[in-house]
Amino acid sequence: MEKDTVTPRCKVLLIGGSAGSLEVLIKILPRLTAIPTFAIVIIVHRKSSEDSTLEELIAAKTTLPVKDVEDKVVLEPGNIYVAPSDYHLLFEKNNLLSLDTSEKVNYSRPSIDVSFESAADAFGPEVAAILLSGANSDGTHGLAEIREAGGIVVIQDPESAEIPFMPRNALENVAANYILDVEGILRYIQSL
Amino acid sequence: MVLIDDRELELLINDVFEYHGFDFSGYSRASLKRRVDRLIHLDGFKNFGELLYKVRTEPDYFKHMVEEITVNVTEMFRDPLFYKVLRNEILPIIGTKPFIRIWHAGCSTGEEVYSMAILLKEANLLHKSLLYATDINGLVLDVAKKGIFPLHMMKQYSENYMVSGGKKDFSHYYTANYGYAKFGEDLSEKMVFSQHNLVSDGSFNEFDLILCRNVLIYFDKELQEKALVLFDDSLAKLGYLALGTKETIKFSPLQMRFKQVDREKLWKKIL
Ligand SMILES: C[S@@+](CC[C@H](N)C(=O)[O-])C[C@H]1O[C@@H](n2cnc3c(N)ncnc32)[C@H](O)[C@@H]1O
């Protein structure tokens, strides 16, 4: 595992998940009080018809500001951003968020892979990503690119995941920096 | 899988402009890069050099590239509640004019234009309307002109239509054949399709309503501003501009000239 001294400071923490991931977020978010040096971006699979219910649910569980993601908003430390339904969320090198309605990836839009890959390309070693519970293989490829770009890869311990398929698939294909249960994930975020 | 780097992307943008006169320099890089990676993968290039050579030397291949790197995903009555506002609030207002002109900028394969024609027809306004539909991609315009869409989408479209406030049997609007749904000429006779590039082509008429939905997301802020100026120049006073659900004019100085309709992605030109 890398030492803190060789790893540049994390500026964006991505959290990806599908079925069973909301439960994890609901446990973690209320216990995060401040994230002054980085932003959190949440990419979870969602129905295309639901409007802003996920944002509202997340906002109800945290005291951190949950920003409404519109095209070309600035990614700023301290905030939580949620990938909107029916768009892929991408990162520009100048710290803006871009949206994209291109084809679904892994049957999903937003797709976790798309956002993870884009963050790896835009910010390289300044990215940390956590992949949570889910029944789909989305996220694995994105984690591999984050790892290759020098970012930090965290995978939820499949034992602790409601639906272990997604984290297990990632573990089989990507060398994780950390494999953590829900408590461990919380402590990891607090240490950033 | 071949993934291009930033330098290669800029090289491609430069050469495309130099050889073909199309300027993609104002496109959002994150999305454009994915599209070029996808193209390399689809067409089986071994490396970036092969792609660049073909783009430089084969005009037909360049055309194909434009068709593939633009994102053409669209739906009928996409975001049905937006169409409901058009139906209930906007059409009754612009419907008082003797003649209605609408511009669909970035219309893709035309689903949005046929949706609008249905709204106009149901409001008894289609006979005095003209729908101009433009796109940079000639291939999608050919599809749009035909008004033929995949039949398997009709269930979803019919649901969208109902949520938008539609009361008719949606299947009245098309005839089903071999897995396709062909929309009637009663809808398409008021449509004019033509190629138009928002980067380089100017204003060509004055409109009461301009829809440019899910197009500006592919542009950087500077090019978005340029397109907004074009729309402002092309809108009649008290005309409306409609953008996609995640697009906004709030970053633009032009927002002073517009008033947002409730919390919708619809702005009325007031100056
Ligand atoms: C995602 S589609 C939007 C279709 C429809 N308006 C909707 O919201 O469903 C984006 C369209 O913008 C077109 N486009 C991209 N760049 C353009 C440009 N410079 N000028 C005109 N159209 C452009 C693409 O070809 C594509 O058909």
Side-chain angles (χ1 to χ4, degrees):
Chain A
M1 264 179 219
E2 290 90 336
K3 288 208 193 80
D4 286 352
T5 45
V6 295
T7 318
R9 183 137 222 164
C10 164
K11 80 180 215 186
V12 56
L13 171 68
L14 308 170
I15 305 179
S18 189
S21 64
L22 219 50
E23 289 81 343
V24 181
L25 288 170
I26 285 170
K27 281 187 199 140
I28 290 175
L29 290 174
R31 294 164 68 189
L32 288 178
T33 45
I35 48 169
T37 57
F38 62 96
I40 293 181
V41 179
I42 296 173
I43 307 107
V44 293
H45 292 162
R46 49 198 300 188
K47 282 208 297 288
S48 57
S49 52
E50 73 177 326
D51 223 45
S52 52
T53 45
L54 180 65
E55 282 82 354
E56 282 160 21
L57 180 73
I58 288 175
K61 294 288 169 195
T62 177
T63 53
L64 300 171
V66 178
K67 293 285 166 184
D68 189 17
V69 174
E70 289 196 312
D71 181 58
K72 305 295 179 300
V73 298
V74 190
L75 179 72
E76 284 172 317
N79 299 329
I80 297 180
Y81 301 81
V82 183
S85 60
D86 230 7
Y87 290 86
H88 292 304
L89 177 69
L90 304 174
F91 299 87
E92 303 287 346
K93 292 216 153 86
N94 59 2
N95 295 333
L96 299 182
L97 300 181
S98 273
L99 297 172
D100 175 314
T101 60
S102 58
E103 299 76 6
K104 291 183 178 181
V105 173
N106 304 317
Y107 311 100
S108 312
R109 188 174 53 221
S111 141
I112 303 167
D113 272 344
V114 169
S115 292
F116 281 13
E117 289 162 18
S118 175
D121 186 48
F123 307 134
E126 294 170 302
V127 179
I130 308 177
L131 189 68
L132 303 176
S133 165
N136 173 305
S137 62
D138 200 16
T140 294
H141 193 259
L143 284 181
E145 291 202 4
I146 288 174
R147 181 79 218 217
E148 200 177 302
I152 300 288
V153 167
V154 181
I155 299 175
Q156 181 178 6
D157 184 347
E159 299 280 305
S160 74
E162 193 170 303
I163 316 275
F165 184 87
M166 200 152 88
R168 186 166 292 146
N169 187 69
L171 276 177
E172 281 164 9
N173 293 286
V174 190
N177 297 81
Y178 306 99
I179 302 161
L180 303 170
D181 64 8
V182 178
E183 268 310 305
I185 289 172
L186 175 68
R187 261 179 277 120
Y188 171 75
I189 300 175
Q190 286 166 336
S191 76
L192 281 176
Chain B
M1 180 160 168
V2 184
L3 295 176
I4 62 164
D5 61 31
D6 294 350
R7 193 192 51 87
E8 290 167 334
L9 184 60
E10 297 312 313
L11 203 62
L12 180 66
I13 292 171
N14 268 316
D15 280 8
V16 159
F17 185 60
E18 200 170 303
Y19 287 74
H20 304 285
F22 276 67
D23 185 2
F24 286 95
S25 65
Y27 277 57
S28 151
R29 292 300 189 270
S31 155
L32 190 59
K33 203 179 203 180
R34 281 189 73 228
R35 299 307 283 179
V36 175
D37 285 338
R38 175 178 165 276
L39 180 71
I40 289 177
H41 180 70
L42 278 180
D43 291 345
F45 291 109
K46 305 244 166 7
N47 55 54
F48 171 72
E50 275 184 16
L51 166 74
L52 191 65
Y53 180 77
K54 218 168 158 75
V55 168
R56 278 182 184 159
T57 54
E58 295 179 25
D60 280 348
Y61 187 79
F62 167 68
K63 208 170 140 261
H64 166 75
M65 180 187 114
V66 172
E67 289 159 6
E68 288 298 337
I69 63 172
T70 53
V71 173
N72 308 119
V73 175
T74 184
E75 264 179 40
M76 289 189 83
F77 296 96
R78 185 182 203 165
D79 317 310
L81 295 177
F82 162 77
Y83 282 91
K84 192 169 189 163
V85 175
L86 281 185
R87 190 194 281 278
N88 296 337
E89 292 173 38
I90 308 301
L91 293 190
I93 297 174
I94 59 177
T96 59
K97 297 198 158 198
F99 193 67
I100 304 169
R101 283 194 191 87
I102 298 176
W103 178 16
H104 295 264
C107 66
S108 190
T109 39
E111 283 83 340
E112 183 184 275
V113 196
Y114 284 83
S115 307
M116 179 65 85
I118 289 173
L119 289 190
L120 289 164
K121 195 168 173 75
E122 295 185 355
N124 217 349
L125 297 171
L126 188 57
H127 63 280
K128 60 168 181 174
S129 305
L130 260 186
L131 295 97
Y132 291 81
T134 62
D135 203 285
I136 191 180
N137 176 343
L139 204 62
V140 293
L141 290 173
D142 292 339
V143 176
K145 279 175 206 160
K146 296 201 180 90
I148 298 177
F149 306 122
L151 191 59
H152 69 90
M153 294 303 296
M154 293 304 136
K155 186 171 170 287
Q156 168 82 54
Y157 293 171
S158 147
E159 283 169 24
N160 289 357
Y161 163 78
M162 286 189 296
V163 178
S164 82
K167 301 259 180 322
K168 302 231 157 91
D169 177 355
F170 188 64
S171 64
H172 273 79
Y173 287 111
Y174 61 84
T175 40
N177 215 343
Y178 296 106
Y180 286 95
K182 169 142 182 48
F183 282 75
E185 260 142 48
D186 52 327
L187 293 176
S188 60
E189 65 183 358
K190 297 293 184 176
M191 300 176 188
V192 181
F193 293 96
S194 72
Q195 212 161 358
H196 180 280
N197 184 347
L198 291 168
V199 176
S200 50
D201 295 331
S203 178
F204 57 94
N205 212 326
E206 194 177 80
F207 297 96
D208 306 299
L209 170 60
I210 298 176
L211 293 94
C212 184
R213 308 189 72 220
N214 300 303
V215 181
L216 298 185
I217 48 177
Y218 300 103
F219 296 173
D220 66 18
K221 275 192 178 167
E222 213 175 305
L223 183 54
Q224 289 184 350
E225 180 62 25
K226 187 173 166 183
L228 290 174
V229 169
L230 173 62
F231 297 147
D232 185 38
D233 287 345
S234 310
L235 267 180
K237 189 163 179 211
L238 304 181
Y240 293 89
L241 173 65
L243 301 181
T245 45
K246 294 294 166 188
E247 294 165 328
T248 179
I249 65 168
K250 76 176 175 217
F251 301 127
S252 163
L254 278 174
Q255 63 161 309
M256 312 290 296
R257 306 168 55 78
F258 288 84
K259 187 174 183 309
Q260 190 164 9
V261 179
D262 300 327
R263 300 190 61 206
E264 300 301 324
K265 294 305 179 144
L266 256 169
W267 288 266
K268 184 176 195 150
K269 177 168 164 166
I270 50 174
L271 285 180

